[in-house]
Amino acid sequence: MGEFGFGTFIESVGEVIDVLGVVAIVVGVLYASLDAAFRGLRRRSPVYTRFRRVLGRAILLGLELLVAADIIKTVAVTPTLESVGVLAIIVVIRTFLSWSLELEISGRWPWQKRAGVDDEPAEAGQGSAARAAG
């Protein structure tokens, strides 16, 4: 078994994470679509902006998982200069896509975020602090 078994195991882990990345995107598309449909039927706004935000987050999560899977699979195989180069290109492209999606979702580049702005627990905490102060 030895090294061959470990490499095969790591390759399989990479494949599972690949599938999880695709599942995250598909489930996100379905959830965002159903959420938008129900919001539209009930005339609750915002429909479009919420749809884009939910869909964008699902795509971001899927991209993160796909990048992780690519890294794991590259490490599982004997890393060659060519495979590391291809991985680097894939990571650069997916990072650009992630940053572009983040800009679309939040209106800011990832490094321009203020602490706690996009975290729901932090927002809830800020609201509690504001009520306690007021």
Side-chain angles (χ1 to χ4, degrees), residues 40-86:
L41 290 173
R42 294 180 182 162
R43 306 246 187 255
R44 292 181 61 197
S45 59
V47 175
Y48 179 70
T49 54
R50 180 177 164 92
F51 173 76
R52 284 186 54 163
R53 187 177 68 243
V54 171
L55 181 60
R57 287 182 176 166
I59 293 170
L60 280 173
L61 176 62
L63 283 173
E64 298 285 339
L65 289 167
L66 292 170
V67 167
D70 286 340
I71 292 169
I72 290 170
K73 289 188 289 183
T74 299
V75 171
V77 181
T78 305
T80 63
L81 191 57
E82 182 181 347
S83 66
V84 170
V86 169

Side-chain angles (χ1 to χ4, degrees), residues 13-119:
V13 168
E15 292 295 329
V16 168
I17 295 173
D18 244 346
V19 169
L20 289 175
V22 172
V23 167
I25 294 171
V26 170
V27 168
V29 167
L30 292 174
Y31 176 77
S33 299
L34 289 173
D35 182 59
F38 286 127
R39 283 180 164 277
L41 290 173
R42 294 180 182 162
R43 306 246 187 255
R44 292 181 61 197
S45 59
V47 175
Y48 179 70
T49 54
R50 180 177 164 92
F51 173 76
R52 284 186 54 163
R53 187 177 68 243
V54 171
L55 181 60
R57 287 182 176 166
I59 293 170
L60 280 173
L61 176 62
L63 283 173
E64 298 285 339
L65 289 167
L66 292 170
V67 167
D70 286 340
I71 292 169
I72 290 170
K73 289 188 289 183
T74 299
V75 171
V77 181
T78 305
T80 63
L81 191 57
E82 182 181 347
S83 66
V84 170
V86 169
L87 176 64
I89 291 168
I90 289 170
V91 168
V92 165
I93 291 169
R94 288 187 177 162
T95 300
F96 174 76
L97 288 172
S98 294
W99 284 356
S100 298
L101 283 168
E102 183 65 33
L103 180 62
E104 286 289 320
I105 292 168
S106 69
R108 291 188 212 51
W109 289 107
W111 56 83
Q112 293 176 320
K113 282 188 177 181
R114 289 173 277 152
V117 169
D118 289 335
D119 301 334

